[in-house]
Structures are given as C-alpha cells and as structure tokens.
C-alpha cells in the first residue's frame, strides 16, 4: 500500500508555470508506475502524464505535450509534474496515482490515489 500527497497547486496567470509534487509513503515507491490525472468542473477525470517505475518511459496526453514534464526521484519517494505555458483550460484538480504494474499509463492498475491539488489558470 502507498499513500500519496500532492502539493504545489495554486493560482497562476496564463503563460505561467507551476511544479506539482506528489510525495509517497512506503518503501516500495520505486516499484510503482506513477501518473498525473486532472478533473475540471463538469468534466471527467483525464490522464495527463505517466512515468514508469524506473523513470525510463514517460507518457503524455496530446493536450499538454511539449508543455508539461513528468519526472520522479525514487530516493525521495516523489514524482513531479512541471507545467509551463499554462492555459486557462488547464484549470482543474490534479491528482497523482500509483500504478501497481509499474507502467504508468494505458490499461494498467492505478490502485492508489492522492486527494488532489487545485490548479487555477487565469486569463
């Protein structure tokens, strides 16, 4: 089992940047793939980015490709989402999730979720 706590959200103007962090408890963090998802008001939750257990593979939604970067530090049990050139449509609650199969994207098992952090981008 792993517990996840997101941080780093906030209010930013369009074109600005934020870095989200997701701190994980437990000694098996390095075996999990990790993903970032988001949910905007009135919309379904969507996949944003994922990273494999080793960090060797990363995955991105088309809507954020080239603007967001996912990374992880297994020594710190933390995964990051660097967000640049933010747009108002990026406004959402951002969640991190842990994938027990180690992949970080696709038809896998994101079994553990954090509580989310709000990102608001003003125009």
């Amino acid at each position: 089992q792993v517990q996840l706590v997101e941080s780093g959200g906030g209010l930013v103007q369009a074109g600005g940047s934020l870095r989200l962090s997701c701190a994980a408890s437990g000694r098996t963090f390095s075996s999990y793939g990790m993903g970032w998802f988001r949910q905007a008001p009135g919309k379904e939750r969507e996949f944003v980015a994922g990273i494999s257990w080793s960090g060797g593979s990363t995955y991105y939604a088309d809507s954020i490709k080239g603007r967001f970067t996912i990374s992880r530090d297994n020594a710190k049990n933390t995964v990051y989402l660097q967000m640049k050139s933010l747009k108002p449509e990026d406004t959402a609650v951002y969640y991190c999730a842990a994938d027990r199969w180690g992949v970080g994207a696709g038809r896998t098992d994101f079994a553990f979720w954090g509580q989310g952090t709000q990102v608001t981008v003003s125009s």
Side-chain angles (χ1 to χ4, degrees):
Q1 182 131 359
V2 61
Q3 294 182 324
L4 305 172
V5 179
E6 302 96 336
S7 62
L11 174 64
V12 64
Q13 288 188 333
S17 299
L18 281 175
R19 188 177 81 156
L20 305 184
S21 299
C22 174
S25 65
R27 291 177 291 178
T28 58
F29 172 76
S30 60
S31 68
Y32 289 93
M34 297 298 296
W36 284 97
F37 294 76
R38 67 186 181 186
Q39 187 166 20
K43 295 187 176 181
E44 292 188 353
R45 185 171 61 195
E46 64 174 352
F47 173 82
V48 175
I51 189 167
S52 62
W53 66 273
S54 67
S57 297
T58 56
Y59 312 91
Y60 296 97
D62 288 342
S63 60
I64 58 87
K65 200 171 291 184
R67 299 189 297 121
F68 292 8
T69 303
I70 189 170
S71 62
R72 67 188 297 159
D73 185 337
N74 285 344
K76 295 183 178 179
N77 279 15
T78 302
V79 62
Y80 304 97
L81 186 68
Q82 178 69 54
M83 305 186 294
K84 299 180 179 179
S85 302
L86 282 161
K87 304 175 181 180
E89 52 263 43
D90 295 318
T91 295
V93 178
Y94 284 71
Y95 300 90
C96 69
D99 164 28
R100 293 192 290 190
W101 293 0
V103 179
R107 300 181 68 179
T108 186
D109 183 15
F110 285 103
F112 307 106
W113 293 80
Q115 293 300 306
T117 185
Q118 176 71 48
V119 171
T120 303
V121 184
S122 63
S123 57

Short mmCIF file of all heavy atoms in Angstrom, two decimals, residues 74-121:
data_model
loop_
_atom_site.label_atom_id
_atom_site.label_comp_id
_atom_site.label_asym_id
_atom_site.label_seq_id
_atom_site.Cartn_x
_atom_site.Cartn_y
_atom_site.Cartn_z
N ASN A 74 13.20 8.56 -7.04
CA ASN A 74 12.87 7.41 -6.20
C ASN A 74 13.56 7.48 -4.83
O ASN A 74 13.07 6.91 -3.86
CB ASN A 74 13.24 6.12 -6.92
CG ASN A 74 12.24 5.77 -8.02
OD1 ASN A 74 11.14 6.31 -8.07
ND2 ASN A 74 12.64 4.90 -8.92
N ALA A 75 14.65 8.19 -4.75
CA ALA A 75 15.32 8.35 -3.45
C ALA A 75 14.50 9.22 -2.50
O ALA A 75 14.60 9.08 -1.28
CB ALA A 75 16.70 8.96 -3.65
N LYS A 76 13.68 10.10 -3.08
CA LYS A 76 12.83 10.99 -2.28
C LYS A 76 11.37 10.55 -2.27
O LYS A 76 10.52 11.25 -1.73
CB LYS A 76 12.94 12.42 -2.79
CG LYS A 76 14.32 13.03 -2.65
CD LYS A 76 14.34 14.47 -3.12
CE LYS A 76 15.72 15.11 -2.93
NZ LYS A 76 15.74 16.51 -3.40
N ASN A 77 11.08 9.43 -2.91
CA ASN A 77 9.69 8.94 -2.98
C ASN A 77 8.75 10.02 -3.51
O ASN A 77 7.64 10.21 -2.98
CB ASN A 77 9.21 8.47 -1.60
CG ASN A 77 9.68 7.07 -1.26
OD1 ASN A 77 10.59 6.54 -1.91
ND2 ASN A 77 9.10 6.48 -0.23
N THR A 78 9.17 10.69 -4.55
CA THR A 78 8.39 11.83 -5.05
C THR A 78 8.34 11.81 -6.58
O THR A 78 9.33 11.48 -7.24
CB THR A 78 9.01 13.15 -4.58
OG1 THR A 78 9.06 13.16 -3.14
CG2 THR A 78 8.17 14.34 -5.03
N VAL A 79 7.18 12.17 -7.08
CA VAL A 79 7.00 12.36 -8.52
C VAL A 79 6.59 13.81 -8.73
O VAL A 79 5.89 14.39 -7.90
CB VAL A 79 5.98 11.37 -9.10
CG1 VAL A 79 4.60 11.56 -8.50
CG2 VAL A 79 5.93 11.46 -10.61
N TYR A 80 7.03 14.37 -9.84
CA TYR A 80 6.80 15.79 -10.13
C TYR A 80 6.06 15.96 -11.45
O TYR A 80 6.16 15.13 -12.35
CB TYR A 80 8.14 16.53 -10.21
CG TYR A 80 9.00 16.38 -9.00
CD1 TYR A 80 10.02 15.43 -8.97
CD2 TYR A 80 8.82 17.18 -7.88
CE1 TYR A 80 10.83 15.29 -7.85
CE2 TYR A 80 9.62 17.05 -6.76
CZ TYR A 80 10.62 16.10 -6.75
OH TYR A 80 11.42 15.96 -5.65
N LEU A 81 5.39 17.07 -11.56
CA LEU A 81 4.81 17.49 -12.83
C LEU A 81 5.15 18.96 -13.02
O LEU A 81 4.60 19.82 -12.35
CB LEU A 81 3.30 17.28 -12.88
CG LEU A 81 2.66 17.57 -14.23
CD1 LEU A 81 3.11 16.53 -15.27
CD2 LEU A 81 1.14 17.58 -14.13
N GLN A 82 6.11 19.21 -13.91
CA GLN A 82 6.47 20.58 -14.24
C GLN A 82 5.54 21.06 -15.34
O GLN A 82 5.48 20.44 -16.40
CB GLN A 82 7.92 20.65 -14.70
CG GLN A 82 8.38 22.04 -15.12
CD GLN A 82 8.46 23.00 -13.95
OE1 GLN A 82 9.12 22.73 -12.95
NE2 GLN A 82 7.80 24.14 -14.08
N MET A 83 4.85 22.16 -15.08
CA MET A 83 3.87 22.68 -16.04
C MET A 83 4.30 24.07 -16.49
O MET A 83 4.52 24.95 -15.64
CB MET A 83 2.49 22.73 -15.39
CG MET A 83 2.04 21.41 -14.81
SD MET A 83 0.35 21.43 -14.20
CE MET A 83 0.51 22.56 -12.83
N LYS A 84 4.42 24.25 -17.78
CA LYS A 84 4.82 25.54 -18.35
C LYS A 84 3.77 25.98 -19.36
O LYS A 84 2.95 25.19 -19.82
CB LYS A 84 6.19 25.42 -19.01
CG LYS A 84 7.31 25.03 -18.07
CD LYS A 84 8.63 24.94 -18.81
CE LYS A 84 9.75 24.56 -17.84
NZ LYS A 84 11.07 24.44 -18.54
N SER A 85 3.84 27.25 -19.72
CA SER A 85 2.90 27.81 -20.72
C SER A 85 1.47 27.42 -20.39
O SER A 85 0.71 26.96 -21.25
CB SER A 85 3.28 27.32 -22.13
OG SER A 85 4.60 27.69 -22.45
N LEU A 86 1.10 27.62 -19.16
CA LEU A 86 -0.23 27.20 -18.70
C LEU A 86 -1.33 28.00 -19.39
O LEU A 86 -1.16 29.19 -19.69
CB LEU A 86 -0.33 27.34 -17.19
CG LEU A 86 0.37 26.22 -16.42
CD1 LEU A 86 0.65 26.62 -14.98
CD2 LEU A 86 -0.46 24.94 -16.46
N LYS A 87 -2.43 27.32 -19.61
CA LYS A 87 -3.59 27.90 -20.27
C LYS A 87 -4.79 27.82 -19.33
O LYS A 87 -4.84 26.95 -18.46
CB LYS A 87 -3.89 27.12 -21.56
CG LYS A 87 -2.73 27.04 -22.53
CD LYS A 87 -3.10 26.15 -23.72
CE LYS A 87 -1.95 26.02 -24.70
NZ LYS A 87 -2.30 25.15 -25.85
N PRO A 88 -5.77 28.69 -19.53
CA PRO A 88 -6.98 28.60 -18.69
C PRO A 88 -7.62 27.21 -18.72
O PRO A 88 -8.17 26.77 -17.71
CB PRO A 88 -7.89 29.68 -19.29
CG PRO A 88 -6.95 30.68 -19.86
CD PRO A 88 -5.80 29.89 -20.39
N GLU A 89 -7.53 26.53 -19.84
CA GLU A 89 -8.12 25.20 -19.94
C GLU A 89 -7.35 24.15 -19.15
O GLU A 89 -7.81 22.99 -19.06
CB GLU A 89 -8.27 24.77 -21.40
CG GLU A 89 -7.01 24.89 -22.22
CD GLU A 89 -6.96 26.19 -23.02
OE1 GLU A 89 -7.32 27.25 -22.47
OE2 GLU A 89 -6.55 26.11 -24.20
N ASP A 90 -6.23 24.50 -18.58
CA ASP A 90 -5.50 23.58 -17.70
C ASP A 90 -6.05 23.63 -16.27
O ASP A 90 -5.63 22.86 -15.41
CB ASP A 90 -4.01 23.92 -17.66
CG ASP A 90 -3.32 23.71 -19.00
OD1 ASP A 90 -3.61 22.69 -19.65
OD2 ASP A 90 -2.50 24.56 -19.38
N THR A 91 -6.97 24.54 -16.02
CA THR A 91 -7.58 24.65 -14.69
C THR A 91 -8.30 23.36 -14.33
O THR A 91 -9.15 22.88 -15.08
CB THR A 91 -8.56 25.82 -14.65
OG1 THR A 91 -7.83 27.04 -14.84
CG2 THR A 91 -9.30 25.87 -13.32
N ALA A 92 -7.94 22.80 -13.20
CA ALA A 92 -8.51 21.51 -12.76
C ALA A 92 -7.93 21.15 -11.40
O ALA A 92 -6.98 21.78 -10.93
CB ALA A 92 -8.18 20.41 -13.76
N VAL A 93 -8.51 20.12 -10.81
CA VAL A 93 -7.87 19.46 -9.68
C VAL A 93 -6.95 18.39 -10.26
O VAL A 93 -7.38 17.58 -11.08
CB VAL A 93 -8.89 18.84 -8.73
CG1 VAL A 93 -8.18 18.11 -7.59
CG2 VAL A 93 -9.82 19.92 -8.17
N TYR A 94 -5.70 18.41 -9.82
CA TYR A 94 -4.70 17.46 -10.31
C TYR A 94 -4.45 16.39 -9.25
O TYR A 94 -4.22 16.71 -8.08
CB TYR A 94 -3.41 18.19 -10.65
CG TYR A 94 -3.49 18.95 -11.96
CD1 TYR A 94 -4.26 20.10 -12.07
CD2 TYR A 94 -2.82 18.50 -13.10
CE1 TYR A 94 -4.37 20.78 -13.27
CE2 TYR A 94 -2.92 19.17 -14.30
CZ TYR A 94 -3.70 20.32 -14.38
OH TYR A 94 -3.80 20.99 -15.58
N TYR A 95 -4.48 15.16 -9.71
CA TYR A 95 -4.29 14.01 -8.83
C TYR A 95 -3.08 13.21 -9.28
O TYR A 95 -2.85 13.04 -10.49
CB TYR A 95 -5.50 13.08 -8.88
CG TYR A 95 -6.81 13.71 -8.47
CD1 TYR A 95 -7.62 14.33 -9.41
CD2 TYR A 95 -7.24 13.65 -7.15
CE1 TYR A 95 -8.83 14.90 -9.04
CE2 TYR A 95 -8.45 14.21 -6.77
CZ TYR A 95 -9.24 14.83 -7.72
OH TYR A 95 -10.44 15.38 -7.35
N CYS A 96 -2.34 12.69 -8.33
CA CYS A 96 -1.34 11.68 -8.69
C CYS A 96 -1.87 10.31 -8.28
O CYS A 96 -2.72 10.19 -7.39
CB CYS A 96 0.01 11.96 -8.06
SG CYS A 96 0.11 11.75 -6.28
N ALA A 97 -1.39 9.31 -8.97
CA ALA A 97 -1.84 7.95 -8.73
C ALA A 97 -0.69 6.98 -8.93
O ALA A 97 0.22 7.23 -9.74
CB ALA A 97 -2.98 7.60 -9.68
N ALA A 98 -0.74 5.88 -8.20
CA ALA A 98 0.31 4.86 -8.26
C ALA A 98 -0.21 3.62 -8.97
O ALA A 98 -1.28 3.10 -8.64
CB ALA A 98 0.79 4.51 -6.86
N ASP A 99 0.56 3.16 -9.92
CA ASP A 99 0.22 2.01 -10.75
C ASP A 99 0.99 0.78 -10.26
O ASP A 99 2.22 0.73 -10.36
CB ASP A 99 0.57 2.33 -12.20
CG ASP A 99 0.64 1.11 -13.08
OD1 ASP A 99 -0.07 0.12 -12.77
OD2 ASP A 99 1.40 1.13 -14.05
N ARG A 100 0.25 -0.20 -9.80
CA ARG A 100 0.90 -1.39 -9.21
C ARG A 100 1.69 -2.19 -10.22
O ARG A 100 2.57 -2.99 -9.85
CB ARG A 100 -0.15 -2.28 -8.54
CG ARG A 100 -0.76 -1.62 -7.32
CD ARG A 100 -1.56 -2.59 -6.51
NE ARG A 100 -2.79 -2.98 -7.20
CZ ARG A 100 -3.76 -3.67 -6.62
NH1 ARG A 100 -3.63 -4.05 -5.36
NH2 ARG A 100 -4.83 -4.01 -7.28
N TRP A 101 1.38 -2.03 -11.51
CA TRP A 101 2.09 -2.81 -12.51
C TRP A 101 3.37 -2.13 -12.99
O TRP A 101 4.08 -2.68 -13.82
CB TRP A 101 1.17 -3.07 -13.71
CG TRP A 101 0.03 -3.97 -13.36
CD1 TRP A 101 -0.25 -4.54 -12.16
CD2 TRP A 101 -1.02 -4.39 -14.23
NE1 TRP A 101 -1.41 -5.28 -12.22
CE2 TRP A 101 -1.89 -5.22 -13.47
CE3 TRP A 101 -1.30 -4.16 -15.58
CZ2 TRP A 101 -3.02 -5.80 -14.04
CZ3 TRP A 101 -2.42 -4.75 -16.13
CH2 TRP A 101 -3.26 -5.55 -15.36
N GLY A 102 3.60 -0.91 -12.51
CA GLY A 102 4.87 -0.27 -12.80
C GLY A 102 4.96 0.47 -14.12
O GLY A 102 6.02 1.04 -14.44
N VAL A 103 3.85 0.50 -14.87
CA VAL A 103 3.92 1.05 -16.21
C VAL A 103 3.75 2.57 -16.21
O VAL A 103 4.55 3.31 -16.77
CB VAL A 103 2.86 0.40 -17.11
CG1 VAL A 103 2.91 1.00 -18.50
CG2 VAL A 103 3.06 -1.11 -17.14
N GLY A 104 2.65 3.04 -15.63
CA GLY A 104 2.41 4.47 -15.55
C GLY A 104 1.44 5.02 -16.58
O GLY A 104 1.17 6.21 -16.62
N ALA A 105 0.89 4.15 -17.43
CA ALA A 105 -0.06 4.64 -18.43
C ALA A 105 -0.76 3.45 -19.06
O ALA A 105 -0.32 2.30 -18.93
CB ALA A 105 0.65 5.46 -19.49
N GLY A 106 -1.84 3.76 -19.79
CA GLY A 106 -2.53 2.71 -20.52
C GLY A 106 -3.43 1.86 -19.65
O GLY A 106 -3.86 2.29 -18.56
N ARG A 107 -3.69 0.67 -20.11
CA ARG A 107 -4.62 -0.23 -19.41
C ARG A 107 -3.88 -0.93 -18.28
O ARG A 107 -3.47 -2.08 -18.39
CB ARG A 107 -5.21 -1.23 -20.39
CG ARG A 107 -5.98 -0.55 -21.52
CD ARG A 107 -6.59 -1.56 -22.48
NE ARG A 107 -7.66 -2.32 -21.85
CZ ARG A 107 -8.37 -3.25 -22.49
NH1 ARG A 107 -8.11 -3.53 -23.75
NH2 ARG A 107 -9.32 -3.90 -21.86
N THR A 108 -3.73 -0.18 -17.21
CA THR A 108 -2.97 -0.68 -16.07
C THR A 108 -3.78 -0.47 -14.80
O THR A 108 -4.98 -0.19 -14.89
CB THR A 108 -1.58 -0.01 -16.04
OG1 THR A 108 -0.79 -0.59 -15.02
CG2 THR A 108 -1.71 1.49 -15.79
N ASP A 109 -3.18 -0.57 -13.66
CA ASP A 109 -3.91 -0.57 -12.41
C ASP A 109 -3.45 0.56 -11.50
O ASP A 109 -2.57 0.37 -10.67
CB ASP A 109 -3.75 -1.91 -11.70
CG ASP A 109 -4.56 -1.99 -10.42
OD1 ASP A 109 -5.46 -1.14 -10.22
OD2 ASP A 109 -4.30 -2.89 -9.60
N PHE A 110 -4.06 1.74 -11.68
CA PHE A 110 -3.78 2.84 -10.77
C PHE A 110 -4.60 2.61 -9.50
O PHE A 110 -5.73 3.08 -9.38
CB PHE A 110 -4.12 4.18 -11.42
CG PHE A 110 -3.12 4.61 -12.45
CD1 PHE A 110 -3.38 4.49 -13.81
CD2 PHE A 110 -1.90 5.14 -12.06
CE1 PHE A 110 -2.46 4.89 -14.75
CE2 PHE A 110 -0.96 5.56 -12.99
CZ PHE A 110 -1.24 5.43 -14.35
N ALA A 111 -4.02 1.91 -8.57
CA ALA A 111 -4.77 1.44 -7.40
C ALA A 111 -4.82 2.45 -6.27
O ALA A 111 -5.70 2.37 -5.41
CB ALA A 111 -4.16 0.14 -6.89
N PHE A 112 -3.87 3.40 -6.25
CA PHE A 112 -3.78 4.33 -5.13
C PHE A 112 -3.78 5.76 -5.65
O PHE A 112 -3.11 6.06 -6.64
CB PHE A 112 -2.50 4.06 -4.32
CG PHE A 112 -2.39 2.63 -3.89
CD1 PHE A 112 -1.49 1.77 -4.51
CD2 PHE A 112 -3.18 2.13 -2.87
CE1 PHE A 112 -1.39 0.45 -4.13
CE2 PHE A 112 -3.09 0.81 -2.47
CZ PHE A 112 -2.20 -0.03 -3.11
N TRP A 113 -4.53 6.61 -4.95
CA TRP A 113 -4.74 7.98 -5.40
C TRP A 113 -4.52 8.96 -4.26
O TRP A 113 -4.81 8.66 -3.10
CB TRP A 113 -6.18 8.15 -5.92
CG TRP A 113 -6.42 7.38 -7.17
CD1 TRP A 113 -6.70 6.04 -7.27
CD2 TRP A 113 -6.41 7.89 -8.50
NE1 TRP A 113 -6.85 5.70 -8.59
CE2 TRP A 113 -6.69 6.81 -9.36
CE3 TRP A 113 -6.20 9.15 -9.05
CZ2 TRP A 113 -6.76 6.97 -10.76
CZ3 TRP A 113 -6.27 9.30 -10.42
CH2 TRP A 113 -6.54 8.22 -11.26
N GLY A 114 -4.04 10.14 -4.63
CA GLY A 114 -3.96 11.22 -3.67
C GLY A 114 -5.26 11.99 -3.62
O GLY A 114 -6.22 11.67 -4.33
N GLN A 115 -5.29 13.02 -2.78
CA GLN A 115 -6.50 13.81 -2.59
C GLN A 115 -6.64 14.94 -3.61
O GLN A 115 -7.72 15.52 -3.73
CB GLN A 115 -6.51 14.39 -1.18
CG GLN A 115 -6.65 13.34 -0.08
CD GLN A 115 -7.92 12.57 -0.21
OE1 GLN A 115 -9.01 13.12 -0.26
NE2 GLN A 115 -7.82 11.24 -0.27
N GLY A 116 -5.58 15.25 -4.30
CA GLY A 116 -5.65 16.26 -5.33
C GLY A 116 -5.18 17.63 -4.88
O GLY A 116 -5.18 17.95 -3.69
N THR A 117 -4.75 18.41 -5.85
CA THR A 117 -4.35 19.80 -5.61
C THR A 117 -4.93 20.66 -6.72
O THR A 117 -4.90 20.29 -7.89
CB THR A 117 -2.81 19.93 -5.52
OG1 THR A 117 -2.46 21.27 -5.17
CG2 THR A 117 -2.13 19.57 -6.83
N GLN A 118 -5.48 21.81 -6.33
CA GLN A 118 -6.16 22.67 -7.29
C GLN A 118 -5.15 23.52 -8.06
O GLN A 118 -4.28 24.17 -7.46
CB GLN A 118 -7.15 23.59 -6.56
CG GLN A 118 -7.85 24.60 -7.44
CD GLN A 118 -8.87 23.95 -8.38
OE1 GLN A 118 -9.69 23.14 -7.95
NE2 GLN A 118 -8.84 24.34 -9.65
N VAL A 119 -5.33 23.54 -9.36
CA VAL A 119 -4.57 24.45 -10.23
C VAL A 119 -5.57 25.34 -10.95
O VAL A 119 -6.50 24.84 -11.60
CB VAL A 119 -3.72 23.67 -11.25
CG1 VAL A 119 -3.11 24.61 -12.28
CG2 VAL A 119 -2.63 22.87 -10.54
N THR A 120 -5.40 26.64 -10.81
CA THR A 120 -6.28 27.59 -11.47
C THR A 120 -5.43 28.54 -12.32
O THR A 120 -4.49 29.16 -11.81
CB THR A 120 -7.09 28.40 -10.44
OG1 THR A 120 -7.84 27.50 -9.62
CG2 THR A 120 -8.04 29.35 -11.15
N VAL A 121 -5.76 28.61 -13.60
CA VAL A 121 -5.03 29.46 -14.53
C VAL A 121 -5.96 30.58 -14.98
O VAL A 121 -7.01 30.32 -15.59
CB VAL A 121 -4.52 28.66 -15.74
CG1 VAL A 121 -3.68 29.55 -16.64
CG2 VAL A 121 -3.72 27.45 -15.28
#
